[in-house]
Amino acid sequence: MVRIPYIEESGHPELEGLIGKIKSGRSGNLLNIYKLLLHSPEVTVAWMGLIDAIRSHTVLDGRSREIAIIRAANVNRSAYEMKQHVPRIALTMGLTLEDCDAVARWPSASHLTTKDEAVIGYTDAVTRDVHVDDAVFDKLRPHFSAREILELTLLIGIYNMHARVIEPLKIDLEPD
């Protein structure tokens, strides 16, 4: 159960415009993460801008993006993020349910590409250790440009930030 109360839509006319903006950009839903972030409206706006930029205004391919998000969620034991991305978003980015399971089971999964494995290994290193060995980093080079590596690194950092907000505050899973 969440540790601080959610801000509900009713009873907050001063947030009506921001709530409308959140809902219009998120399939008409006000997710629990936003119900919590609304305690700080300015931070909510910045959070949304950061998420929108990293998910919609980068050149990093959607499959790699979702693999990194799913892996960071798995490493951080963030069920909330997993549920937000698997299967709904992951499937739209070209992953199968088998791929999503393989990302969680890596390195024992065998059907992933070397590009997928490079993303997973890098995500693990950034998430678990922060410092990344050259051998792990060098596996990215054949698959990604400098810009894509930067965007991948920022994405991993942002989704680690998500987990460090979601998990300590115990944000509830969205209902099905």
Side-chain angles (χ1 to χ4, degrees), residues 4 23 27 37 54 58 61-62 92 113 122 124 135 140 153 172:
I4 59 177
K23 290 173 70 174
S27 305
L37 288 171
I54 201 67
T58 60
D61 67 279
T92 65
T113 68
Y122 187 63
D124 278 9
L140 296 172
T153 306
D172 300 304

Side-chain angles (χ1 to χ4, degrees), residues 80-92:
Y80 186 91
E81 283 301 325
M82 281 296 253
K83 186 173 181 187
Q84 291 302 311
H85 288 265
V86 177
R88 189 176 52 86
I89 298 173
L91 296 181
T92 65

Side-chain angles (χ1 to χ4, degrees), residues 18 21-22 34 37 40-50 52:
L18 179 53
K21 184 176 179 182
I22 294 168
Y34 291 103
L37 288 171
S40 181
E42 294 80 9
V43 170
T44 303
V45 170
W47 181 287
M48 287 179 8
L50 184 59
D52 289 346

Side-chain angles (χ1 to χ4, degrees), residues 97-164:
L97 291 177
E98 181 184 25
D99 293 336
C100 294
D101 183 57
V103 171
R105 290 185 300 107
W106 187 82
S108 64
S110 60
H111 79 279
L112 296 169
T113 68
T114 57
K115 180 180 179 181
D116 295 344
E117 290 182 350
V119 171
I120 295 168
Y122 187 63
T123 303
D124 278 9
V126 171
T127 301
R128 289 188 169 124
D129 305 323
V130 182
H131 301 277
V132 178
D133 291 337
D134 289 342
V136 172
F137 190 88
D138 289 344
K139 289 180 181 177
L140 296 172
R141 292 186 190 278
H143 307 287
F144 300 100
S145 68
R147 178 178 174 171
E148 289 167 320
I149 292 170
L150 172 67
E151 291 173 354
L152 177 63
T153 306
L154 290 166
L155 174 80
I156 296 165
I158 289 165
Y159 276 86
N160 279 309
M161 175 188 72
H162 272 63
R164 280 148 182 84

